[in-house]
Amino acid sequence: MQFELSNEFLSILKEDIARGDKDTVAANIRALYPPDIAEILDEVNLEEAQFIFRLLENEVGSEVLMELDEDVREKFLASLSDDEIADFVDELNTDDAADIIQELPEERQEEVLEKVEDEEHSENIADLLAYDENSAGGLMAKELIKVNQDWTILRCVREMRKQAEDVDKVFTVYVVNDEGVLLGIVSLKRMLLNSERTIIKDIFEEGAISVKTDAMAEEIIQVFEKYDMVVLPVVDEFGRLVGRITVDDVMDVVREETSKDYQMMSGISEDIETTDSVWVMSRARLPWLLIAMMGGIVGAMVIANYEDELKLSPQMAFFIPLVVAMGGNVGIQSSALIVQGLANNTLSKDGMLKRILKELMVGLLNGLACSIVLIAYSYVFSYPVALSLTIGASLLAVILFAAAFGTFMPLTLHRMKIDPALATGPFITTSNDIIGLFFYFMIGRLMYGLAF
Amino acid sequence: MQFELSNEFLSILKEDIARGDKDTVAANIRALYPPDIAEILDEVNLEEAQFIFRLLENEVGSEVLMELDEDVREKFLASLSDDEIADFVDELNTDDAADIIQELPEERQEEVLEKVEDEEHSENIADLLAYDENSAGGLMAKELIKVNQDWTILRCVREMRKQAEDVDKVFTVYVVNDEGVLLGIVSLKRMLLNSERTIIKDIFEEGAISVKTDAMAEEIIQVFEKYDMVVLPVVDEFGRLVGRITVDDVMDVVREETSKDYQMMSGISEDIETTDSVWVMSRARLPWLLIAMMGGIVGAMVIANYEDELKLSPQMAFFIPLVVAMGGNVGIQSSALIVQGLANNTLSKDGMLKRILKELMVGLLNGLACSIVLIAYSYVFSYPVALSLTIGASLLAVILFAAAFGTFMPLTLHRMKIDPALATGPFITTSNDIIGLFFYFMIGRLMYGLAF
């Protein structure tokens, strides 16, 4: 049963809280799933949120904590004591527990870990904390169900009764050998539908797809998507099973990655949302604007250099926005295609040169089309021939350059292990603009020189 | 075991195919998972692909067919006979089967469906084809496992032996009543760990999260992400269980949706990739370029209108790119935030007016910062006071307008049920440019009028 958070529900809830009516609030809240409770907590103020939160049992509370918006969770954690956080950490799976610990300020991390009751659990968490956040080790949870290939189904079921307590979402059971090396998987379906005395070795699927602990987020996402996986086992360098990553964690990462690319293109430097304060939003957006400003100033200096041409032919100023904008548009199209191709791993296997040549062909086709439109317009409106040819020729030059540059930059950034999406941001587009202006006026100077 | 497609592997394979060596090719290919085989088929030419494809058994072949790039699959389907396609459709789950049928030209669809051996299967597919492609009905598969709440686990297992044959990925078992209404779910884990004689009614989880057949892709994605789901049951208007959607299908849709937004911002009108031909790529990119051209021409007409001002003060031309670019940057930032917020369902619950006011505040802060930088620059470089104030004031005006317009447009489009991402595309940004030019020159005319 889905839950739609209506303003009505919220205001009634706030009234109940203001009255201190714990029973009513508790009754209303307990009927909801953790993600819905978290949604409510994101919408009320901190005191109201704490009121609600204290009514939750530890298990639900820990789940709600994980579902909160990061900013809200930060405030919550700051207001909870080390013991309280440790209680939640006890309830969480190791991957979520490690995430929570990591979000705490460094001084608190050790203290909270020490207060965690289950020692094995806190050791497991400490293990996970040692991995890079964006690697398989950092994303995985240690809770999983594994059986030995020599066991019967009956024995498996007995062992699973012990292991399954901690594992809430069981999709597949992993099959290992005596050394703990991952051999394959056996589905619960198969275990259910075979006789008790069947030996795992005879029914399991050999050769599971897995990733090593040091695999990075990008590779992990691609494996999930390519093989339509729901859960992915993680192995160490010896092939021993050490953890698993579930698809919902990957979907979160996919969302973050695509958000990052999108924000990069629109020139937003931090992960902000419309719920953030005016100050936070300004701060995230100003850096790129200032870079664009610098670029604009350089552009002004470029044009200033050709002041004489402008005095001779002020009409050249009319087409400045057009030439610059076209360069920007074409450049962004080229860069975006590359960035998308890299993100989805659908890039053709061409070399750099072949790819740029292809882009130039596209640029030529489109550039000619646009130039012809432009020359036709200027002819109809009786602009001087020198001007018509100038804008036509420089538009073509600008488009060709932008297409090549727009393809070259993200690929080069990628090779240098820098985020290729930077190429779609204001930094590169501003450079494109400036170079476009150079082309425009140099060609203009040439044409006018020829005309006289 | 992951598979990395190396150029070496490819060339050896191509040699084997050229020699007509079926056995070697078959041996190499059969060791691979369907997604990997599909990757190979995407990289070789059509004849080589068909050579490989014919070596596959129907079951594997059908899976490979689904994993192919859409363009490649189109060519394949065109080269296969109706009977051959029907054989593959027999092997596929109803959701994939429906997708394949839909990709065929209309004339072929009926014919292929008639040739499908399993009549019940083809009826199911026909049912699914009746739904909107992007709705739950269009995304779901009919293959699922359901049990009656009054059955014992023993009886469930017996029933499941019959049903499970068609269902390869079993995550949860759905619990229904005698009318087929979805009541809840029971996990395989729970069924495995309880005694045979337990009645389902006593152990299942009541109240499953589900969607109706007419729910659209956007809502479905949000449910998956919010509740960390792996599989989502679909019910009809009476609450009866009719199908299920698995998370891998949703991940594909998520990818497509975010790609669309990204492409919209970069001005690409079709779903193209770097592997497409020069002609296809030009065709997808030209429309937006022409719109930008029109915008540029209108911009030129606007500036032409102020030719006298330009003659009096050619220096006004220097800052045209800057003012226009800043308006574009700020506008894109505002629009992108809204589009992202809508896509991720993280938009604050503010009304339109409050939101625009907030944006204006951000615009004011950033605009003032930028204007001050600009005025400082023009002071240092000894530009006339009238010009300095013009560019400072118009920059501020342009930024404020762009912030408000960039917020207003996507929200309005969204309310009109139009894709809000259109606001980030060249169409809106071009309008922004033109209006920016108006501001610039109007303020310039005003300032210079005041100065004289």
Side-chain angles (χ1 to χ4, degrees):
Chain A
M1 270 125 246
Q2 273 89 290
F3 169 74
E4 267 307 322
L5 181 58
S6 65
N7 283 325
E8 202 187 317
F9 182 96
L10 258 184
S11 40
I12 295 179
L13 190 68
K14 287 178 179 240
E15 282 173 26
D16 293 336
I17 296 174
R19 281 201 324 265
D21 188 347
K22 289 190 185 174
D23 294 327
T24 314
V25 174
N28 282 328
I29 291 296
R30 285 202 188 129
L32 303 173
Y33 287 100
D36 298 315
I37 302 176
E39 199 184 348
I40 294 173
L41 295 188
D42 284 338
E43 289 290 330
V44 299
N45 68 43
L46 189 59
E47 283 146 358
E48 292 166 327
Q50 287 171 327
F51 182 96
I52 300 172
F53 197 69
R54 282 194 207 100
L55 296 171
L56 304 169
E57 287 151 19
N58 271 352
E59 195 184 333
V60 177
S62 64
E63 283 181 63
V64 169
L65 204 57
M66 290 319 296
E67 297 285 341
L68 288 175
D69 189 59
E70 257 188 64
D71 301 330
V72 181
R73 181 163 55 239
E74 199 183 329
K75 295 199 198 108
F76 255 81
L77 291 174
S79 71
L80 294 169
S81 72
D82 288 352
D83 278 297
E84 288 174 310
I85 299 180
D87 284 340
F88 288 124
V89 167
D90 255 308
E91 298 285 343
L92 290 170
N93 283 338
T94 43
D95 59 336
D96 291 332
D99 288 342
I100 285 267
I101 301 279
Q102 244 157 3
E103 286 184 21
L104 295 170
E106 284 215 42
E107 324 85 63
R108 292 195 81 182
Q109 294 186 8
E110 267 302 317
E111 295 162 16
V112 169
L113 260 181
E114 276 170 31
K115 297 210 156 83
V116 171
E117 263 195 57
D118 186 338
E119 218 183 282
E120 190 186 342
H121 190 52
S122 73
E123 274 171 23
N124 282 334
I125 297 171
D127 282 345
L128 291 184
L129 287 171
Y131 293 107
D132 181 317
E133 267 189 280
N134 284 322
S135 68
L139 287 167
M140 74 185 186
K142 288 203 170 215
E143 289 85 353
L144 48 79
I145 296 192
K146 62 184 179 199
V147 298
N148 190 297
Q149 59 171 339
D150 298 319
W151 294 351
T152 57
I153 290 186
L154 180 63
R155 171 129 186 233
C156 286
V157 172
R158 251 188 274 136
E159 290 291 334
M160 279 167 61
R161 283 209 172 94
K162 296 182 215 161
Q163 297 181 36
E165 211 190 281
D166 295 324
V167 191
D168 23 79
K169 291 180 273 198
V170 184
F171 306 120
T172 54
V173 172
Y174 297 109
V175 181
V176 298
N177 64 11
D178 295 330
E179 282 73 46
V181 171
L182 178 66
L183 301 173
I185 57 177
V186 63
S187 66
L188 287 179
K189 172 181 120 177
R190 211 170 273 199
M191 288 180 72
L192 200 63
L193 305 183
N194 276 281
S195 101
E196 282 189 334
R197 278 163 288 128
T198 320
I199 299 188
I200 295 294
K201 197 184 299 200
D202 298 329
I203 59 166
F204 83 105
E205 253 182 75
E206 278 191 75
I209 294 171
S210 63
V211 286
K212 292 224 176 72
T213 47
D214 60 1
M216 295 307 285
E218 217 178 85
E219 180 190 339
I220 299 170
I221 294 172
Q222 283 168 9
V223 172
F224 263 95
E225 290 188 331
K226 188 179 188 188
Y227 299 101
D228 286 343
M229 305 204 69
V230 153
V231 61
L232 184 62
V234 184
V235 297
D236 65 10
E237 63 239 3
F238 301 112
R240 292 176 304 197
L241 180 62
V242 289
R244 63 172 200 162
I245 303 174
T246 48
V247 68
D248 50 281
D249 289 326
V250 168
M251 275 185 87
D252 291 340
V253 178
V254 170
R255 272 284 182 210
E256 277 173 42
E257 293 281 310
T258 44
S259 293
K260 250 179 22 192
D261 285 350
Y262 198 73
Q263 288 185 333
M264 193 82 76
M265 191 191 270
S266 42
I268 299 171
S269 62
E270 287 171 35
D271 186 19
I272 53 173
E273 291 169 345
T274 55
T275 45
D276 288 318
S277 71
V278 167
W279 173 241
V280 168
M281 286 174 81
S282 297
R283 192 184 65 195
R285 292 158 66 169
L286 193 55
W288 285 114
L289 290 181
L290 288 175
I291 289 176
M293 280 286 298
M294 295 302 140
I297 286 173
V298 173
M301 289 162 92
V302 169
I303 304 179
N305 194 31
Y306 293 93
E307 191 171 354
D308 296 332
E309 271 78 4
L310 271 177
K311 287 197 174 125
L312 271 176
S313 165
Q315 289 168 329
M316 278 204 75
F318 299 177
F319 295 93
I320 292 176
L322 187 145
V323 170
V324 165
M326 292 309 287
N329 284 327
V330 170
I332 290 242
Q333 281 180 345
S334 306
S335 296
L337 272 176
I338 300 289
V339 171
Q340 261 211 315
L342 284 167
N344 296 344
N345 203 25
T346 54
L347 224 51
S348 64
K349 295 206 180 314
D350 296 327
M352 171 87 86
L353 192 63
K354 187 172 173 193
R355 207 188 292 287
I356 291 184
L357 278 173
K358 190 174 183 180
E359 268 300 304
L360 285 173
M361 288 297 303
V362 177
L364 191 63
L365 267 175
N366 286 342
L368 280 172
C370 293
S371 298
I372 288 170
V373 169
L374 196 49
I375 292 178
Y377 163 79
S378 61
Y379 179 74
V380 164
F381 281 76
S382 310
Y383 283 102
V385 172
L387 183 64
S388 304
L389 289 177
T390 297
I391 48 186
S394 47
L395 184 63
L396 188 61
V398 161
I399 286 179
L400 284 173
F401 172 79
F405 193 56
T407 302
F408 172 78
M409 276 316 295
L411 285 173
T412 307
L413 289 173
H414 182 68
R415 251 179 228 187
M416 291 161 54
K417 306 281 185 199
I418 303 173
D419 189 348
L422 260 166
T424 58
F427 192 66
I428 305 274
T429 55
T430 307
S431 320
N432 232 352
D433 289 352
I434 294 169
I435 295 171
L437 284 170
F438 262 122
F439 275 139
Y440 184 51
F441 282 99
M442 281 198 304
I443 293 178
R445 184 172 274 183
L446 195 69
M447 290 289 180
Y448 275 88
L450 293 176
F452 292 121
Chain B
M1 267 127 246
Q2 273 86 292
F3 169 74
E4 268 307 323
L5 181 59
S6 64
N7 284 324
E8 201 187 317
F9 183 96
L10 258 183
S11 39
I12 296 179
L13 190 68
K14 287 178 177 241
E15 282 171 26
D16 292 336
I17 296 176
R19 279 200 327 266
D21 188 346
K22 290 189 183 176
D23 294 327
T24 315
V25 173
N28 281 330
I29 291 296
R30 289 209 183 121
L32 303 172
Y33 287 100
D36 298 315
I37 302 176
E39 197 183 350
I40 295 174
L41 296 187
D42 284 337
E43 289 291 330
V44 299
N45 69 43
L46 188 61
E47 283 146 358
E48 291 165 330
Q50 287 172 325
F51 182 97
I52 299 172
F53 197 68
R54 284 197 204 99
L55 296 170
L56 303 170
E57 286 150 22
N58 272 353
E59 197 184 331
V60 177
S62 65
E63 284 182 62
V64 170
L65 203 58
M66 293 316 297
E67 297 286 340
L68 289 174
D69 189 61
E70 258 188 64
D71 300 330
V72 181
R73 181 162 57 238
E74 199 182 327
K75 295 199 196 107
F76 255 81
L77 290 175
S79 71
L80 294 168
S81 73
D82 286 353
D83 279 295
E84 288 174 309
I85 300 180
D87 284 342
F88 287 125
V89 168
D90 255 309
E91 296 285 344
L92 291 170
N93 283 337
T94 43
D95 59 336
D96 291 331
D99 288 342
I100 284 270
I101 301 276
Q102 245 156 0
E103 286 186 19
L104 296 169
E106 283 215 45
E107 322 83 62
R108 290 195 82 183
Q109 294 185 12
E110 267 303 316
E111 294 163 16
V112 169
L113 259 182
E114 276 171 30
K115 295 210 154 83
V116 171
E117 263 195 55
D118 185 340
E119 219 184 282
E120 191 187 338
H121 191 52
S122 72
E123 274 171 22
N124 283 335
I125 298 170
D127 282 346
L128 291 184
L129 287 171
Y131 293 107
D132 182 321
E133 265 189 279
N134 284 322
S135 69
L139 286 167
M140 73 184 185
K142 289 206 170 210
E143 289 85 354
L144 47 79
I145 296 191
K146 63 186 178 196
V147 298
N148 190 296
Q149 60 170 338
D150 298 319
W151 294 351
T152 57
I153 289 187
L154 180 62
R155 170 128 188 234
C156 287
V157 172
R158 252 187 274 138
E159 290 291 334
M160 279 166 62
R161 283 208 174 92
K162 295 183 215 160
Q163 297 181 35
E165 209 189 287
D166 295 324
V167 191
D168 22 80
K169 292 180 271 194
V170 185
F171 305 120
T172 55
V173 172
Y174 297 110
V175 181
V176 298
N177 64 11
D178 295 332
E179 282 74 44
V181 171
L182 177 66
L183 301 173
I185 57 176
V186 63
S187 65
L188 287 179
K189 174 180 118 181
R190 213 171 272 198
M191 289 180 71
L192 200 62
L193 303 183
N194 276 281
S195 101
E196 280 188 336
R197 277 164 288 128
T198 322
I199 298 187
I200 294 294
K201 199 186 297 200
D202 298 330
I203 58 166
F204 84 103
E205 253 182 75
E206 276 192 74
I209 295 172
S210 63
V211 286
K212 291 223 176 73
T213 47
D214 58 3
M216 295 306 285
E218 216 178 89
E219 180 190 340
I220 299 170
I221 294 171
Q222 283 167 10
V223 172
F224 264 96
E225 291 189 332
K226 188 178 188 188
Y227 299 101
D228 285 343
M229 304 204 70
V230 152
V231 60
L232 184 61
V234 184
V235 298
D236 66 8
E237 62 237 4
F238 301 111
R240 292 177 301 197
L241 181 61
V242 289
R244 63 172 198 161
I245 303 173
T246 47
V247 69
D248 49 281
D249 289 326
V250 168
M251 275 185 86
D252 291 339
V253 178
V254 170
R255 271 285 181 207
E256 276 174 42
E257 295 280 310
T258 43
S259 294
K260 252 183 17 195
D261 285 349
Y262 198 73
Q263 288 185 332
M264 192 82 77
M265 191 191 270
S266 43
I268 300 170
S269 63
E270 287 172 35
D271 187 18
I272 53 173
E273 292 169 343
T274 56
T275 45
D276 287 319
S277 70
V278 167
W279 173 243
V280 168
M281 287 172 81
S282 296
R283 191 185 66 197
R285 293 158 66 169
L286 194 55
W288 286 113
L289 291 181
L290 288 175
I291 289 177
M293 280 287 296
M294 296 301 141
I297 286 173
V298 172
M301 289 161 90
V302 168
I303 304 179
N305 193 32
Y306 294 92
E307 192 172 356
D308 298 329
E309 270 78 4
L310 271 178
K311 286 198 175 128
L312 269 176
S313 167
Q315 289 167 330
M316 279 204 74
F318 299 176
F319 296 93
I320 292 176
L322 187 146
V323 170
V324 165
M326 291 310 286
N329 284 326
V330 171
I332 290 243
Q333 281 180 345
S334 306
S335 297
L337 270 177
I338 300 289
V339 171
Q340 261 211 312
L342 285 167
N344 295 344
N345 204 26
T346 54
L347 224 52
S348 63
K349 294 204 180 316
D350 296 326
M352 171 88 86
L353 192 64
K354 187 171 173 195
R355 209 189 293 285
I356 291 184
L357 278 172
K358 188 172 184 183
E359 267 300 304
L360 284 173
M361 288 298 303
V362 177
L364 190 65
L365 267 175
N366 287 342
L368 280 173
C370 293
S371 299
I372 289 171
V373 169
L374 197 49
I375 293 179
Y377 163 78
S378 60
Y379 179 73
V380 165
F381 281 77
S382 310
Y383 283 102
V385 172
L387 183 64
S388 305
L389 290 177
T390 299
I391 49 184
S394 48
L395 186 62
L396 188 60
V398 161
I399 286 178
L400 283 173
F401 172 78
F405 193 56
T407 302
F408 172 77
M409 276 316 296
L411 285 172
T412 306
L413 290 173
H414 182 68
R415 256 182 224 183
M416 291 162 52
K417 307 279 185 199
I418 302 173
D419 190 348
L422 260 166
T424 57
F427 192 66
I428 306 274
T429 55
T430 307
S431 322
N432 232 352
D433 290 354
I434 295 169
I435 295 171
L437 283 170
F438 263 123
F439 275 140
Y440 183 53
F441 282 100
M442 281 199 303
I443 294 178
R445 186 173 271 182
L446 194 70
M447 289 291 179
Y448 275 88
L450 293 176
F452 293 122

